């Protein structure tokens, strides 16, 4: 193209002349495709609206077909788990073919359209030989999987909200229209409590955006993905304040939500006080009791310290009036450089910490995402640190 431009500028390209036949054919093909596209769009617009009853029957037929695939896959998973328990979980560490068996079962779950189950299998494989008590923690995971197996078998008798939780755990997708129609809408002012990025296979980037409702007290998770280096559809700023509605996915103790079209960034920070956080441990226990199938939970601590003991970072949980004894230090997931940076920012003083609570060795582990501190006693909390050391 540049060469032709230079030739034309030098007067070496003659004006006018007939177009080659291949150019005429190409232009004619483009015109024909455009006319067909317009005719198809006009036909769709002129067609009568589809019968809702027919659409519902078609959707129910597709759902039944998918449930059959899921049920067959979960039965296969149940037999595989029984084989592991019968031969002993400890044998997984010495089996040279174990890794291949686990990945084969994960692939089987993808074929059965239970992608959420496939992700759980891959994550559970990482427990093998990860610490001295790994077999105990793996058995806990198998128990959760058997709970899903039983739920799939009893799916017709489950209440609608529990069935929604089972579908979410299996990786059953819901489009935005379904979420807006079935889920609860909550209008509030929201502070971005924490953001986490996770690299998945195939250059897939997963983003967790945790929002704290300031009037409702609700926690919300915005979960989205970016493929192949492309950016996310929406931008969220750590610690910033937003106002608008969130549409929560159906289910018990729902956390995942979609941002409504009225969501907008506020010019000034909405006040986040320690009172808004409430009793974090009680809220955590209630959410887990209502839906034990959610693998990750948000967790606040309004006045926590950070300590380093024997190569492991711990959060020192404050003692409350109803505690008979002090709570044991909580293992946290944080890179050394980020932990020292946090201690430097706080001077070692207790701060409000936020992160994701995960099942793990012993009591579990807390993946820190942000730290908050008030300028003076009783003042609103401001974000002073966000975890930038882990992707």
């Amino acid at each position: 193209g540049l060469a032709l431009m230079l030739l034309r500028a030098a007067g070496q390209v003659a004006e006018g002349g007939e177009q080659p036949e291949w150019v005429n054919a190409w232009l004619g093909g483009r015109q024909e495709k455009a006319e067909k596209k317009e005719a198809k769009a006009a036909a769709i617009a002129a067609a009568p609206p589809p019968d809702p009853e027919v659409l519902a029957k078609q959707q129910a037929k597709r759902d039944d077909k998918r449930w059959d695939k899921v049920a067959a896959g979960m039965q296969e998973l149940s037999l595989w788990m029984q084989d592991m328990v019968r031969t002993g979980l400890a044998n997984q560490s010495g089996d040279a073919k174990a890794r291949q068996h686990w990945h084969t079962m994960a692939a089987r779950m993808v074929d059965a359209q239970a992608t959420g189950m496939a992700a759980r299998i891959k994550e559970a494989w990482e427990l093998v030989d990860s610490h001295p008590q790994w077999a105990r923690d793996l058995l806990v995971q198998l128990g959760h999987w058997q709970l899903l197996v039983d739920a799939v078998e009893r799916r017709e008798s489950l209440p609608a909200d529990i069935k929604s939780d089972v579908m979410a755990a299996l990786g059953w997708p819901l489009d935005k229209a379904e979420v807006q129609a079935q889920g609860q809408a909550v209008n509030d002012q929201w502070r971005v409590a924490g953001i986490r990025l996770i690299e998945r296979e195939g250059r897939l980037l997963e983003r967790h955006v945790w929002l704290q409702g300031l009037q409702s007290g609700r926690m919300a998770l915005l979960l989205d993905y970016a493929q192949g280096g492309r950016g996310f559809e929406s931008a969220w700023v750590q610690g910033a304040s937003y106002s608008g509605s969130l549409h929560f996915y159906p289910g018990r103790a729902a956390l995942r939500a979609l941002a409504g079209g009225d969501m907008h960034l506020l010019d000034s920070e909405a006040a986040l006080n320690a009172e808004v956080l409430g009793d974090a441990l009680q809220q955590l226990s209630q959410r887990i009791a209502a839906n034990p199938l959610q693998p990750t939970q948000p967790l606040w601590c309004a006045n926590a310290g950070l300590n380093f003991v024997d190569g492991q970072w711990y959060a020192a949980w404050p003692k409350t009036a109803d505690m008979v004894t002090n709570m044991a230090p909580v293992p946290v997931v944080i890179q050394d450089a980020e932990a020292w940076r946090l201690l430097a920012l706080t001077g070692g003083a207790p701060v409000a910490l936020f992160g994701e609570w995960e099942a793990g060795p012993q009591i579990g582990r807390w993946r820190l995402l942000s730290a908050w501190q008030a300028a003076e006693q009783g003042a609103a909390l401001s974000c002073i640190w966000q975890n930038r050391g882990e992707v």
Side-chain angles (χ1 to χ4, degrees), residues 78 81-82 141-151 153:
S78 181
M81 289 192 295
Q82 292 175 31
Q141 295 301 313
L142 297 187
H144 281 132
W145 300 355
Q146 187 61 44
L147 187 64
L148 276 171
V149 171
D150 297 340
E153 289 182 353

Side-chain angles (χ1 to χ4, degrees), residues 22-33:
W22 68 269
V23 174
N24 292 328
W26 179 71
L27 292 174
R30 290 190 64 189
Q31 180 65 25
E32 184 179 353
K33 288 181 181 179

Side-chain angles (χ1 to χ4, degrees), residues 300-312:
W300 281 99
C301 183
N303 193 28
L306 194 62
N307 299 318
F308 187 70
V309 180
D310 296 332
Q312 170 67 50

